[in-house]
Amino acid sequence: MAEQEERRGGEGKRRFRIGYALAPKKQQSFIRDSLVSLARSRGIDLIRVDTDTPLSEQGPFDCLLHKLYGDDWKRQLREFSAANPNAAVLDSPEAIERLHNRISMLQVVSELRIECRSSGETFGIPKQIVIYDKETLFDRQAWETLKFPVIAKPLVADGSAKSHKMALVFSHDGLNKLKPPIVLQEFVNHGGVIFKVYVVGERVRCVKRKSLPDVSEEKKVSDEVLSFSQVSNLAANQTIDDSYYEMMHLGDAEMPPLSFVTDIARGLRQVMKLNLFNFDVIRDSRYGNRYLIIDINYFPGYAKMPGYEAVLTDFFCDVLNKKTEEDGGAIEEGAAGSERSWQGCDVSGSFRGDGDQDNLQVPGLGMEEKESSVQV
Ligand SMILES: Nc1ncnc2c1ncn2[C@@H]1O[C@H](COP(=O)(O)OP(=O)(O)OP(=O)(O)O)[C@@H](O)[C@H]1O
Ligand SMILES: O=P(O)(O)O[C@H]1[C@H](O)[C@H](O)[C@H](OP(=O)(O)O)[C@@H](OP(=O)(O)O)[C@@H]1O
Ligand SMILES: [Mg+2]
Ligand SMILES: [Mg+2]
């Protein structure tokens, strides 16, 4: 009885347990005290999953949040879902798998169906080919459809440092320095600014980041190969705020229309069946209102966004609310104490955008309402 009362968080309130299974570096950057305390105040306990102990020996969990790789972990997740059909897994390993290959990752973009916009914005992906072996690399026919410069990206995007090691190749003379399997993606001049669109369930936030500089015509005949890695990623403890934009001279870079990136985010979420991801967008300097999606990441560095605690906590409440409704736990107002009633997460709470640079889209609210408190 005491344990049940403890789970109910005293005064008959039901508490929820979200287990998180993350690599140490990710846990350190994402599970901050500020997130843990805000979630706790809304009736949610964030509990570390010990990745050295079988998942089946831990819990119980109402929801599992994870960013781990490998067949054994996928097996444990399948067993967890079979044993706990009412628990939410964020997100399904099968859906995440699609993002671990840079070809299947961007294929989802071709499945998007988004209405034409009167303002004329269009989207797509850069031209790219996959090269599985050295022989193909030297088979001119394989890559002659591409225009140099190209970016050579590892085919596998599995979160390893190796999967971020890239090379900018200006001419085919540079191809012999590459190690397949790789994707050769046309480098598109985009003014040195990349837009990262963070998605947390129905919530979307677009931020600007420093990107690779444009390549001049003269440079395009060089046999050089420029290696780089994660040029647009911030250090885990760095956040995106005005000082960052000033330091990186990104202040006056125009953001893409919020409704445009939100439509793409919604489309990607439906096609990929993922809740937690971001995607990188560049504006093609040749056309001005043509946007190219160049990368999609599962469970990115949300903590770099000021106010990420409220975004994630509101999302957790959405998930738990949805699970409770699905479980038939109708929330009877004032029916505290009855077995099926659920006091649930308190989802009221102000959730504010932070200035012009970051567009903020919360469910059902337009831009003009972004400063209002969010009751979801
Ligand atoms: N097709 C392209 N045209 C121009 N610049 C590009 C292109 N692809 C990548 N870049 C540049 O290279 C950087 C890294 O590319 P990408 O985002 O695909 O790598 P990543 O290792 O997956 O990065 P992340 O840290 O976002 O996961 C981008 O942020 C951008 O600056
Ligand atoms: O600047 P962002 O938040 O995009 O940086 C992310 C990056 O896009 C990838 O999602 C990284 O994950 P992997 O691709 O699995 O390496 C994130 O690293 P992580 O340690 O936070 O998961 C970056 O934060
Ligand atoms: Mg990227
Ligand atoms: Mg990436």
Side-chain angles (χ1 to χ4, degrees):
M1 182 57 185
E3 194 257 335
Q4 195 183 24
E5 184 51 23
E6 190 268 333
R7 281 193 61 198
R8 299 187 70 81
E11 304 133 35
K13 278 204 169 190
R14 162 89 156 85
R15 294 196 68 78
F16 287 84
R17 298 158 57 93
I18 296 184
Y20 57 86
L22 303 170
K25 170 177 164 277
K26 185 70 171 176
Q27 178 182 317
Q28 193 183 4
S29 64
F30 179 72
I31 302 292
R32 295 187 177 175
D33 292 347
S34 51
L35 175 66
V36 173
S37 49
L38 179 59
R40 185 181 300 122
S41 73
R42 302 265 181 91
I44 299 172
D45 296 320
L46 293 176
I47 299 157
R48 189 179 78 85
V49 169
D50 175 359
T51 50
D52 298 326
T53 305
L55 182 58
S56 55
E57 294 173 13
Q58 304 182 58
F61 300 117
D62 299 289
C63 172
L64 208 53
L65 184 60
H66 73 102
K67 184 177 186 181
L68 291 176
Y69 302 90
D71 293 339
D72 181 59
W73 175 246
K74 283 192 268 189
R75 175 188 59 77
Q76 293 198 64
L77 279 179
R78 278 195 298 274
E79 288 171 4
F80 172 81
S81 295
N84 306 276
N86 293 337
V89 173
L90 301 173
D91 277 304
S92 110
E94 291 68 35
I96 298 168
E97 191 67 34
R98 197 171 191 174
L99 297 186
H100 291 165
N101 173 301
R102 291 188 189 269
I103 294 294
S104 54
M105 171 202 287
L106 295 185
Q107 266 168 347
V108 296
V109 179
S110 63
E111 296 172 37
L112 297 187
R113 294 292 169 263
I114 290 173
E115 273 178 44
C116 294
R117 295 172 54 88
S118 54
S119 40
E121 289 85 9
T122 61
F123 68 93
I125 66 172
K127 201 180 281 184
Q128 61 178 21
I129 59 169
V130 58
I131 301 276
Y132 289 104
D133 49 52
K134 274 276 188 192
E135 291 69 36
T136 317
L137 196 51
F138 297 114
D139 169 5
R140 190 181 187 90
Q141 267 190 315
W143 46 260
E144 65 180 353
T145 56
L146 286 184
K147 285 198 189 70
F148 284 89
V150 296
I151 290 199
K153 303 184 180 184
L155 176 62
V156 174
D158 62 0
S160 63
K162 186 176 159 221
S163 71
H164 293 289
K165 288 221 179 319
M166 305 198 160
L168 181 54
V169 183
F170 296 96
S171 69
H172 52 70
D173 297 341
L175 292 178
N176 59 9
K177 295 170 187 142
L178 303 177
K179 289 196 188 73
I182 50 175
V183 171
L184 295 182
Q185 191 182 84
E186 278 186 6
F187 178 92
V188 177
N189 279 344
H190 55 285
V193 181
I194 193 165
F195 305 106
K196 277 192 175 267
V197 186
Y198 286 85
V199 181
V200 181
E202 294 175 341
R203 293 161 179 79
V204 176
R205 180 174 280 185
C206 184
V207 299
K208 287 178 271 192
R209 290 279 180 80
K210 192 83 180 152
S211 185
L212 288 178
D214 289 348
V215 172
S216 63
E217 284 307 311
E218 304 71 57
K219 195 75 185 163
K220 288 181 183 175
V221 292
S222 151
D223 64 353
E224 253 189 297
V225 172
L226 291 183
S227 299
F228 64 91
S229 175
Q230 293 195 283
V231 291
S232 308
N233 191 348
L234 295 188
N237 57 356
Q238 242 188 315
T239 55
I240 316 146
D241 56 22
D242 294 348
S243 60
Y244 169 79
Y245 287 124
E246 276 152 37
M247 180 177 58
M248 294 292 182
H249 310 298
L250 303 180
D252 49 7
E254 189 185 341
M255 296 289 266
L258 174 68
S259 57
F260 179 57
V261 295
T262 301
D263 285 350
I264 294 175
R266 190 176 293 124
L268 286 174
R269 188 167 168 243
Q270 285 160 0
V271 168
M272 299 192 298
K273 296 184 178 46
L274 285 177
N275 292 287
L276 300 171
F277 62 96
N278 77 1
F279 56 99
D280 293 350
V281 183
I282 57 176
R283 183 187 288 120
D284 187 333
S285 298
R286 297 167 295 186
Y287 305 109
N289 64 353
R290 176 148 179 81
Y291 293 84
L292 300 176
I293 296 161
I294 59 168
D295 181 28
I296 307 175
N297 302 290
Y298 175 65
F299 202 149
Y302 289 115
K304 300 167 195 172
M305 298 189 309
Y308 90 103
E309 299 87 345
V311 179
L312 271 296
T313 303
D314 286 351
F315 168 64
F316 294 153
C317 284
D318 285 351
V319 170
L320 294 167
N321 271 314
K322 189 163 180 291
K323 297 305 293 170
T324 303
E325 282 153 20
E326 282 169 1
D327 299 349
I331 305 172
E332 295 135 35
E333 286 308 315
S338 66
E339 195 43 48
R340 297 299 296 171
S341 79
W342 173 50
Q343 305 300 323
C345 307
D346 166 12
V347 293
S348 62
S350 72
F351 172 46
R352 302 169 62 83
D354 43 335
D356 299 334
Q357 289 89 1
D358 287 358
N359 293 321
L360 183 65
Q361 179 75 15
V362 287
L365 298 180
M367 274 304 285
E368 66 289 343
E369 296 163 296
K370 75 172 182 178
E371 296 304 316
S372 62
S373 70
V374 174
Q375 307 276 343
V376 286

